[in-house]
Amino acid sequence: MTVQDLWLLSPEIAMTGVAIAIVFADFFISNKRTLAYLAVGLLALPLLFSLNIWFGVVGDTTATSGLFGSIVADRFALFFHFLLLGITATVIIGSVQYIERLKEFEGEFIALVLLSVTGMLLLVSARELISIYVALELTALPAAALAAFRRDNLSVEAGLKFIILSAVASAVLLYGIVFIYGYTGTTNLAAILVRLNDLPVDSSVPFGSYGVLFAVVMIVAGFAFKMAVVPWQMWVPDVYQGSPTPVAAFLSTASKASAFAVVIRIMYTSFGSVDLQQDWSALFAVLAAASMVFGNLLALSQTNLKRLLGYSTIAHAGYMLVGVAAVAANTSSGSAIAGPQGTMYYLAGYAFTNLAVFFAIIAISNRTGSNEISSLNGLGKRSPLLGVLLTVGVISLLGIPPTVGFMSKAVVFSAAVNSGLLWLAVIGVVNSVVSAFYYLRIVRAIYFEEPKDDSRITADVPVLFATSVAVVGVALFGAVPWLILRLAEKSLELLLA
Amino acid sequence: MFNGLLTVTVFLPAVAAVVIALTLKNKQAVRWSAIGVATVTLLLSIIVFVSYDRTVGGVQFVDQITGWIPVDALRAQYLLGVDGLSAPLVLLTGFLGMAAAFGSWRVEHRIKEYFFWLLMLESAVMGVFVSLDLLLFFVFFEFELIPMYMLISIWGSGRPKYSAMKFVLFTLFGGAFMLVGILALFLSQGVGTFAMVSIPEAGIVGIPDLIAGVDLIAPAALIFSFFLVAFAVKLPLWPLHNWLPDAHTDAPTAVSVMLAGVLLKMAGYGLLRINLGFFQETKGFTIHDAAGFLSVLAVISVIYGAIVTIQQTDMKRLIAYSSVSHMGFVMLGVAAVGSSADKLSQAGLNGAALQMFTHGTITGLAFLMVGLTYERTHSRHIPHLGGLARKMPLIAIFFIIAGFGSLGLPSLSGFVAEITIFLGTFPVWPWATGIAAFGVVLAAGYTLWMVQRTFFGPGPQAGGMSEESYEKLTDANWVDMIAVMALTIPIFVVGIWPSVITDTFKLGIEAAIR
């Protein structure tokens, strides 16, 4: 381990330090609100280290990879560092009220979130399959504990379901990794590409041989669990419904973003040659279409908000996969990065949108104690501000301009059309129309239904702040999309080179 | 280039809506400031229309910010401008916006939200007509859904939630295809821009010039039909017209006025600007290949719409269905593009453009008058009404003016538009025009029959209002009359002096057909 390695790992190390510091600070700080604010303040450390690397990155992978090439702190990883840190800060601020009501293990709640994020930071930086696997487990274990944090029947079931299915997914992933190792003799992502090119290939078979094809399908299956993509989506509605709402918000944004990041990295590094791109593009296109259709159709009949958002997140994973499927290899014109760039923009936009929606719901259910759509009845009167914030979030999920939800869909569909997937773009837009059915039911409840109880809902300041920040992001990055798109473009330069 | 006039015209209502919603508490103050904003917007739109230089033509008042989305995936810019095609429609939006604001005088329920959404709607529609960047056009085209959804659902009557949802889903469905069409155009080899027209002064080369004679990323026929579906839903063209009667019947008066007056025109504008303007020299497929099909759809819309209209017993529903028939004429005029370039009849296209303007004012007026009648009688059921002219002569007079306009009485604008369409389209599609002309006869039938049953004859019928409340009916007051006059004046002016509008439209059509 050299100084260089320490420098490259400094955000992850700092994050672990923050998590441990919070566990200890929990002993001394009796006001748990202060503890949460302290955690948010300490997030500045990993952020500063990430910024330091961002501006120190010289545009050369050898200079930025460390630990014998198993991690790399390139701009692609750092883009997700910033996104994950932003999500974490928002989630903690938004959960302040929730944490206070826990009565015990408040510090642990925050620490578990931070530890899970540590895993994610490592996951997006890892450049070697075993490190990726370890990082993935590091994110999953705290997340399972968080899902079960409420310790009632539903919550324990959610945690158990999450840990078991996550273990199965990991096993599948490991199986795929083993096959890849068997064929190439390496677990380093960049080396895999070189060895694959050396394999004696039968060009009529995707990836040159059925064994490699099988391995790639296994690896994709392993991550599809985290991305919440059909057919590995069955845990999503149950876990979202059962786990504490801040945890569901966390899982649907941070966990998803890191899984997409690692998939993009593996696909474009290890299987990045032009022939291989065409092979996996078809796989992702089919998964994307299936996720959009399945998620939207099942969301139609839901009455529980969290469950509805669970199905909606499956559909959105499908939209994001459209960007992954839109590979550069098939494009006639130059724009090689449009697909992954669109997915990165989508992930960021979706994080803002979904956090806005989830925290508005937290603020409301703190008061009403219910997560049914009917609990939103008359919200427009009971709390005009929360009503507006939630409506903007839902409009963005639905993808109506000028929100970020629309722009991100426009970008990924544009990438899809560009790489010859016109049919996928059509399925995508038609699915957006279908989603109007259930998203507008939320708007309808807010403004058109009469409430059973006319009392005003006053939200706690922190959760209102978190929601407002997210909504400002929804509006800002929808109106000025190039802020994130440019950042994503810069981040992808090296990865796609 | 940044002139600023159009930016102000588009965003003034929206910004004012936010300011009003945040600052004003008093109902009366909200009402008056919203009406004031709508009036200022009308003045601005008049300035745009009048100061549009007809001797120069082309695109004027360009507002351009190139770097709105400066990435390869979506190279969109903020580009506003008016040409001969859009300038009259901006004017129309101004008139209808003011009429709608005055026509909302009696709204009491959640008044602040109401005017907020009404002004937002005006901004969105205005934005559609002046956007010259396809993506920006689409943003405004879709954004209009949110105000409409709110306005119909909260302030509507009957089954408002059902109707609002139907409206949103139909439009989203069409819009979804349009988005794919837009992306396909943008991503075609050598395009890489969303500019809808070429503006030499600003160094902008538009899509129509870029896609002429080259291979597109998808078959031109497919892209054309994506746009056609979106606009056929909005126009609405048979068989995609289903949402319109429900939305109109259940919407509050002012929203019906906006819906019939300007929202439907977004579709006609799209047809002329995109389906006509883009697809004349495309490789493999041009609008000429579709013209015959369009003329058939147009005739079915005209006749089917008219026949269904006659059977209606609800005044509002009746006028809604008459819109299907009248907007069919717009499509007929578009079909005058003919099956090949040498058969093209410019007169038919001019007529289509003019029909949009006249239908906006005439049907807007008709909905306004139905609204005023309903506020007093609390019934729109034609068999229950009768003899209203005796108690409210002013409303009767202007209702009849709207009716005469709609059936095409000379000296009113409807006549000029329809005669232009017929004269222009007859040489191109003689049979279609001949059949569609029956639509005018039917229009005379349903209009006069409705007026006769509601405003003339004996007093209220069995099942309707009591003698007592009939006696208490009052006529329109001066506030109502401002809204009424805002729509009546254009009907007469265009009817007597059509070139005030057609001269401008002609420039736009000429540019579109190159």
Side-chain angles (χ1 to χ4, degrees):
Chain A
M1 193 138 179
T2 63
V3 179
Q4 167 83 353
D5 296 341
L6 278 179
W7 180 60
L8 294 175
L9 271 178
S10 55
E12 287 84 356
I13 296 173
M15 199 66 182
T16 321
V18 174
I20 295 169
I22 290 298
V23 173
F24 281 106
D26 191 25
F27 299 141
F28 310 110
I29 299 177
S30 56
N31 184 344
K32 302 307 169 193
R33 198 169 273 238
T34 318
L35 188 70
Y37 293 145
L38 177 70
V40 174
L42 286 176
L43 283 180
L45 281 176
L47 178 66
L48 283 177
F49 283 121
S50 299
L51 280 172
N52 174 27
I53 302 176
W54 175 277
F55 291 108
V57 166
V58 284
D60 174 11
T61 32
T62 50
T64 56
S65 66
L67 285 181
F68 313 103
S70 65
I71 61 144
V72 57
D74 56 0
R75 290 207 162 126
F76 180 76
L78 292 169
F79 176 92
F80 283 97
H81 280 195
F82 298 138
L83 181 60
L84 290 169
L85 289 171
I87 292 172
T88 315
T90 320
V91 166
I92 295 178
I93 294 175
S95 334
V96 162
Q97 206 179 0
Y98 184 85
I99 294 170
E100 275 185 325
R101 289 191 313 172
L102 281 175
K103 301 276 185 270
E104 50 181 350
F105 304 130
E106 299 94 339
E108 283 80 353
F109 183 90
I110 302 175
L112 282 171
V113 170
L114 296 176
L115 281 174
S116 184
V117 175
T118 311
M120 292 171 192
L121 293 181
L122 201 58
L123 188 60
V124 297
S125 307
R127 205 154 168 270
E128 190 263 337
L129 287 172
I130 299 298
S131 310
I132 288 175
Y133 175 77
V134 172
L136 194 67
E137 290 303 292
L138 181 54
T139 65
L141 285 173
L146 283 169
F149 218 82
R150 230 174 37 206
R151 286 184 293 164
D152 55 14
N153 279 346
L154 271 178
S155 183
V156 170
E157 185 195 326
L160 208 57
K161 210 164 224 165
F162 186 83
I163 193 80
I164 290 175
L165 289 173
S166 163
V168 173
S170 298
V172 171
L173 172 65
L174 211 49
Y175 201 43
I177 293 176
V178 167
F179 263 76
I180 288 289
Y181 183 73
Y183 273 89
T184 62
T186 177
T187 53
N188 183 299
L189 296 185
I192 290 174
L193 178 64
V194 179
R195 302 276 172 87
L196 277 181
N197 287 341
D198 294 343
L199 280 183
V201 287
D202 173 3
S203 58
S204 65
V205 177
F207 299 99
S209 92
Y210 287 113
V212 182
L213 172 65
F214 180 73
V216 171
V217 171
M218 289 287 133
I219 289 178
V220 171
F223 289 114
F225 170 82
K226 282 279 185 178
M227 296 192 285
V229 169
V230 169
W232 298 278
Q233 85 300 337
M234 57 287 202
W235 61 279
V236 179
D238 294 339
V239 171
Y240 277 31
Q241 189 183 5
S243 53
T245 317
V247 176
F250 177 68
L251 287 178
S252 72
T253 51
S255 177
K256 198 180 219 112
S258 55
F260 268 94
V262 69
V263 165
I264 292 176
R265 186 189 287 283
I266 292 182
M267 289 302 152
Y268 275 95
T269 315
S270 300
F271 310 107
S273 69
V274 173
D275 309 341
L276 297 186
Q277 279 188 11
Q278 276 159 343
D279 291 338
W280 50 262
S281 164
L283 175 67
F284 284 120
V286 171
L287 291 182
S291 297
M292 291 188 283
V293 172
F294 178 91
N296 278 323
L297 288 185
L298 267 84
L300 288 177
S301 57
Q302 303 304 322
T303 57
N304 182 296
L305 268 174
K306 280 161 79 179
R307 222 176 155 73
L308 184 146
L309 288 172
Y311 283 110
S312 124
T313 207
I314 297 170
H316 281 278
Y319 299 125
M320 294 168 193
L321 267 192
V322 171
V324 181
V327 292
N330 292 337
T331 59
S332 47
S333 55
S335 183
I337 63 163
Q341 182 191 24
T343 302
M344 287 165 80
Y345 177 51
Y346 203 120
L347 283 165
Y350 182 72
F352 281 107
T353 307
N354 229 24
L355 288 179
V357 170
F358 266 111
F359 284 119
I361 289 172
I362 290 174
I364 296 152
S365 62
N366 276 346
R367 181 62 190 268
T368 61
S370 161
N371 281 317
E372 296 296 309
I373 293 182
S374 57
S375 72
L376 299 177
N377 286 359
L379 181 69
K381 277 183 219 142
R382 299 181 69 185
S383 171
L385 179 58
L386 274 178
V388 169
L389 295 177
L390 182 54
T391 305
V392 174
V394 170
I395 295 282
S396 179
L397 282 179
L398 170 50
I400 288 183
T403 56
V404 72
F406 164 73
M407 278 298 166
S408 37
K409 274 183 190 163
V411 177
V412 291
F413 294 153
S414 162
V417 175
N418 196 21
S419 57
L421 296 168
L422 189 69
W423 64 272
L424 190 59
V426 171
I427 291 183
V429 292
V430 170
N431 263 289
S432 295
V433 179
V434 173
S435 71
F437 270 108
Y438 60 89
Y439 288 132
L440 287 182
R441 276 199 358 238
I442 300 178
V443 178
R444 177 198 277 200
I446 297 174
Y447 288 104
F448 317 146
E449 304 291 346
E450 289 302 318
K452 279 198 209 94
D453 155 24
D454 243 349
S455 61
R456 282 189 67 84
I457 295 177
T458 44
D460 208 28
V461 174
V463 69
L464 205 57
F465 176 76
T467 319
S468 309
V469 168
V471 166
V472 168
V474 168
L476 177 69
F477 297 120
V480 198
W482 61 266
L483 292 172
I484 293 179
L485 283 169
R486 270 283 163 83
L487 206 60
E489 194 174 270
K490 233 177 165 46
S491 311
L492 284 163
E493 269 166 10
L494 225 84
L495 191 69
L496 303 191
Chain B
M1 288 172 95
F2 205 89
N3 179 288
L5 178 61
L6 292 178
T7 303
V8 173
T9 314
V10 170
F11 290 101
L12 175 75
V15 172
V18 174
V19 173
I20 290 173
L22 292 180
T23 55
L24 296 182
K25 290 254 181 285
N26 181 305
K27 277 193 175 185
Q28 208 62 12
V30 170
R31 205 173 268 149
W32 276 115
S33 27
I35 287 174
V37 170
T39 312
V40 174
T41 313
L42 170 63
L43 291 179
L44 285 170
S45 67
I46 291 176
I47 293 175
V48 170
F49 180 74
V50 171
S51 55
Y52 177 79
D53 190 344
R54 284 154 192 77
T55 55
V56 179
V59 179
Q60 298 178 16
F61 307 113
V62 176
D63 285 353
Q64 185 189 21
I65 301 174
T66 41
W68 180 37
I69 313 181
V71 292
D72 285 337
L74 289 177
R75 198 162 283 286
Q77 49 185 337
Y78 175 83
L79 182 63
L80 304 184
V82 288
D83 65 356
L85 193 55
S86 45
L89 294 171
V90 169
L91 181 70
L92 180 69
T93 312
F95 273 112
L96 270 293
M98 186 178 107
F102 273 100
S104 310
W105 179 249
R106 288 192 182 76
V107 171
E108 289 289 340
H109 179 54
R110 294 162 84 169
I111 180 168
K112 203 150 88 173
E113 287 171 73
Y114 177 86
F115 279 107
F116 176 83
W117 290 120
L118 195 64
L119 291 175
M120 280 290 177
L121 180 66
E122 193 178 355
S123 265
V125 177
M126 203 65 104
V128 168
F129 291 136
V130 302
S131 297
L132 290 179
D133 181 279
L134 262 182
L135 197 73
L136 192 64
F137 168 85
F138 185 77
V139 165
F140 283 118
F141 191 90
E142 293 273 283
F143 177 69
E144 148 269 325
L145 288 176
I146 305 170
M148 281 302 285
Y149 181 67
M150 295 293 181
L151 284 167
I152 298 178
S153 301
I154 302 181
W155 293 274
S157 55
R159 290 189 299 172
K161 288 167 203 163
Y162 167 81
S163 301
M165 190 60 134
K166 198 165 171 182
F167 167 77
V168 169
L169 288 175
F170 265 80
T171 312
L172 271 182
F173 177 77
F177 284 102
M178 176 155 65
L179 180 62
V180 179
I182 290 174
L183 293 175
L185 285 179
F186 166 72
L187 294 164
S188 293
Q189 190 81 43
V191 179
T193 175
F194 287 107
M196 294 159 79
V197 289
S198 294
I199 311 174
E201 307 90 76
I204 295 170
V205 184
I207 295 177
D209 291 319
L210 290 169
I211 63 173
V214 299
D215 278 315
L216 301 179
I217 199 166
L222 189 65
I223 303 179
F224 179 87
S225 56
F226 282 168
F227 283 104
L228 183 64
V229 167
F231 297 135
V233 166
K234 200 84 193 173
L235 196 60
L237 196 65
W238 179 88
L240 298 169
H241 64 283
N242 249 316
W243 59 272
L244 181 102
D246 287 315
H248 263 314
T249 311
D250 295 344
T253 303
V255 177
S256 289
V257 171
M258 285 300 271
L259 180 56
V262 286
L263 266 77
L264 306 186
K265 309 310 173 284
M266 298 181 351
Y269 170 75
L271 282 171
L272 289 173
R273 172 78 79 202
I274 296 173
N275 288 62
L276 173 70
F278 287 11
F279 293 92
Q280 282 171 72
E281 293 162 19
T282 34
K283 198 171 164 188
F285 173 90
T286 63
I287 186 170
H288 300 295
D289 300 323
F293 174 67
L294 295 184
S295 72
V296 171
L297 284 184
V299 170
I300 296 176
S301 277
V302 168
I303 299 298
Y304 170 86
I307 290 173
V308 178
T309 308
I310 293 181
Q311 303 162 349
Q312 299 306 313
T313 53
D314 181 304
M315 290 169 86
K316 231 174 163 182
R317 218 174 168 80
L318 188 147
I319 297 172
Y321 268 113
S322 81
S323 284
V324 177
S325 180
H326 283 120
M327 292 311 280
F329 286 125
V330 173
M331 191 46 118
L332 187 67
V334 174
V337 68
S339 56
S340 65
D342 52 322
K343 290 200 181 123
L344 183 143
S345 152
Q346 204 188 325
L349 297 169
N350 287 341
L354 186 60
Q355 170 75 356
M356 294 202 293
F357 189 90
T358 61
H359 176 266
T361 48
I362 292 171
T363 308
L365 182 64
F367 274 116
L368 197 61
M369 299 328 288
V370 170
L372 291 177
T373 310
Y374 178 68
E375 274 168 12
R376 290 163 175 78
T377 60
H378 304 291
S379 169
R380 297 188 305 248
H381 193 59
I382 296 171
H384 284 173
L385 299 169
L388 296 177
R390 279 200 298 278
K391 301 306 294 181
M392 22 199 231
L394 270 180
I395 292 182
I397 288 172
F398 285 95
F399 201 109
I400 292 167
I401 290 176
F404 282 164
S406 143
L407 63 81
L409 189 76
S411 87
L412 298 179
S413 57
F415 169 75
V416 188
E418 279 165 18
I419 198 80
T420 320
I421 291 178
F422 291 143
L423 289 178
T425 316
F426 187 76
V428 187
W429 305 108
W431 280 100
T433 314
I435 301 170
F438 273 104
V440 180
V441 180
L442 294 171
Y446 59 71
T447 313
L448 295 176
W449 197 32
M450 171 179 70
V451 170
Q452 187 220 328
R453 283 184 293 171
T454 50
F455 284 93
F456 298 110
Q461 304 299 302
M465 67 174 78
S466 62
E467 278 296 334
E468 204 179 324
S469 46
Y470 173 73
E471 290 303 326
K472 280 192 196 144
L473 288 178
T474 52
D475 209 348
N477 67 12
W478 66 273
V479 184
D480 301 326
M481 288 313 292
I482 293 178
V484 171
M485 292 317 288
L487 296 177
T488 310
I489 292 171
I491 296 177
F492 274 101
V493 170
V494 175
I496 295 164
W497 185 29
S499 60
V500 68
I501 295 291
T502 49
D503 281 356
T504 316
F505 268 139
K506 214 176 275 170
L507 289 174
I509 297 289
E510 270 163 15
I513 57 179
R514 289 127 52 88

